């Protein structure tokens, strides 16, 4: 039996065990007998140490030439690019994402850092003239201070990084609380920053239960802002607590993304996008395709193509490079998904593919497709965080848009068509923060805004130049000599 490696928090430039002395084991969701590592079960004291370190580091980090901060980010991006394979392999081991997607996610992180490093060379404000004296008035953007980042397990590299990179570039210091299901990936991120020479205290990682360390982080008097990605109920709790304590707060929450396929669409591409959007990462994406509205003239053809694609798809060991659908992150998640499938059946839905867990130790649920699901049924309304999607026939784009808007969510939506007028109607009519034409509902670029409307988000968008709005504030300087 091999010894289980124990990992520490990263606080004030050092690897530190939790002051509680407690750890928890994280297991591999494909081979649950295999322990990936023992991780700190931190508490309020560890949060206090991390926030204190971040507060001490803030002045020198925020006042150095922005381009020097950018140089640290470039250094980290180069290290990440060189470590893609090892970081991705560990990510796959701890949370089950198929290796080919893990590699893409880690590599994209290097690009996010390069983009944010570039931002440090931009103008920091605008200059106006004083209306009485003609002297200068500057409106500059300035960092906030310590920011708390709370992140989910499903994009354990991208999400922490797309929050941390702009936060750091603009001069904030960071305390990251990653998900308990994916601690190792966050610690590898700290290692990349440390090896790139980030000063002590600028980037800190505290591992532990959300219920134990989330609240101390959100309410800490030295934390100026909280950026949260995760589920709605927890997000709302974080928002209310942060607001009550006078903090800036941003939420990225769940989704229920629709994909609309019109009669003139390229059905081969549309079915491919439906497959990847609904089933890659085992459907554990906030932007996963949960509802597919297909024009009745092409419904049967599209259905056949999708079911054929499912038959060709590879489900299984996420470490194999050809695997497209790996395990769900843990047993509870698998039981939730199977429970939702049961509910889908009991509410009158019929299953065209999948629907039961695969034999074996790993938490594998194959691509599952429902039909005959009512618009007010559970599957049409609630986010089921697994490889489950439903097909609905429609007879016009107008009908599809109305039904696409029928959930509380508004994260992403896709349309497949060759007709520009339909594209324009879709863009004008669909309530979502990310609209994708002839592309899957999932996916995003680091240099453009990302975020959801309605119940999918709260506060300014993330990523691209939009991140500046959240991680800086405006200061007006009346300059007289
Ligand atoms: P979650 O809400 O359970 O956890 C998110 C984070 O919050 C974790 O770090 C968790 O430890 C922490 N947390 C838990 N309780 C807390 C508390 N009381 N106070 C503060 N923090 C607390 O979500 P999850 O299961 O990790 O992630 C899946 C969810 O995330 C899905 O709903 C998915 O749609 C959503 N998500 C949204 C986006 C987006 O950008 N919109 C991206 C990815 C995932």
């Amino acid at each position: 039996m091999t010894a289980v490696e124990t990992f520490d928090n990263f606080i004030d430039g050092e690897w530190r065990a939790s002051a509680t002395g407690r750890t928890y084991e994280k297991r591999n969701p494909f081979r649950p007998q295999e322990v990936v590592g023992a991780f700190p079960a931190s508490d309020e004291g560890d949060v206090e140490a991390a926030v204190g370190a971040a507060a001490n580091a803030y002045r020198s980090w925020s006042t150095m030439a922005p381009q020097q901060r950018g140089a640290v980010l470039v250094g980290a991006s180069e290290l990440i690019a060189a470590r893609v394979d090892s970081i991705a392999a560990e990510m796959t081991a701890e949370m089950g994402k198929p290796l080919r997607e893990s590699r893409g996610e880690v590599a994209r992180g290097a690009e996010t850092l390069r983009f944010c490093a570039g931002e440090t060379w931009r103008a920091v404000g605008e200059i106006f003239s004083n209306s009485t004296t003609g002297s200068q008035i500057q409106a500059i953007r300035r960092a906030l201070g310590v920011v708390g980042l709370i992140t989910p397990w499903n994009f354990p590299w991208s999400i922490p990084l797309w929050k941390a990179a702009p936060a750091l570039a603009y001069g904030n210091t960071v305390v990251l609380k990653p998900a308990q299901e994916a601690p190792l990936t966050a610690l590898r991120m700290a290692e990349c920053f440390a090896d790139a020479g980030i000063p002590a205290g600028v980037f800190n990682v505290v591992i532990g239960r959300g219920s134990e360390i989330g609240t101390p982080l959100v309410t800490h008097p030295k934390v100026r802002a909280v950026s949260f990605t995760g589920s709605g109920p927890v997000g709302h709790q974080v928002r209310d607590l942060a607001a009550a304590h006078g903090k800036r707060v941003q939420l990225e929450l769940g989704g229920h993304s629709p994909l609309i396929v019109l009669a003139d669409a390229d059905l081969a591409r549309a079915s491919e996008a439906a497959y990847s959007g609904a089933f890659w990462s085992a459907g554990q994406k906030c932007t996963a395709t949960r509802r597919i509205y297909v024009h009745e003239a092409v419904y049967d053809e599209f259905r056949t193509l999708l079911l054929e694609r499912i038959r060709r798809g590879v489900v299984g060991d996420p470490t194999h490079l050809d695997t497209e659908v790996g395990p769900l992150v843990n047993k509870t998640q698998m039981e939730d998904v199977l429970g939702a499938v049961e509910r889908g059946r009991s509410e009158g839905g019929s299953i065209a593919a999948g629907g039961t867990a695969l034999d074996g130790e790993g938490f594998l649920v194959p691509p599952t497709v429902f039909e005959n699901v009512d618009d007010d049924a559970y599957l049409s309304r609630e986010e089921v965080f697994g490889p489950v999607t439903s097909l609905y026939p429609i007879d016009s784009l107008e009908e599809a848009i109305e039904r696409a808007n029928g959930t509380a969510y508004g994260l992403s939506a896709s349309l497949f068509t060759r007709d520009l007028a339909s594209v324009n109607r879709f863009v004008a009519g669909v309530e979502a923060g990310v609209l994708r034409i002839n592309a899957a509902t999932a996916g995003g670029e680091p240099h453009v805004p990302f975020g959801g409307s309605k119940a999918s988000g709260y506060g300014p968008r993330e990523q691209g130049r939009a991140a500046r709005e959240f991680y800086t504030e405006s200061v007006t300087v009346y300059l007289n000599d």
Side-chain angles (χ1 to χ4, degrees), residues 150-155 159 162 177-179 210-211 214-215 228-231 234 237-238 252-255 286 383 385 411 450 456:
I150 301 178
T151 54
W153 48 266
N154 65 334
F155 283 98
I159 293 176
W162 83 42
K177 192 226 98 49
S211 53
T215 298
F228 172 93
T229 299
S231 63
V234 177
Q237 207 179 317
V238 165
E252 290 298 345
L253 305 172
C286 50
E383 184 183 45
F385 220 51
L411 188 49
F450 175 85
S456 292

Side-chain angles (χ1 to χ4, degrees), residues 210-258:
S211 53
E212 272 189 67
I213 59 175
T215 298
L217 180 61
V218 171
T219 57
H220 197 291
K222 288 187 176 153
V223 171
R224 285 284 317 277
V226 177
S227 179
F228 172 93
T229 299
S231 63
V234 177
H236 296 152
Q237 207 179 317
V238 165
R239 177 196 58 199
D240 295 349
L241 206 55
H245 285 76
K247 319 236 180 245
R248 186 176 285 208
V249 61
Q250 169 187 57
L251 310 178
E252 290 298 345
L253 305 172
H256 205 292
S257 299

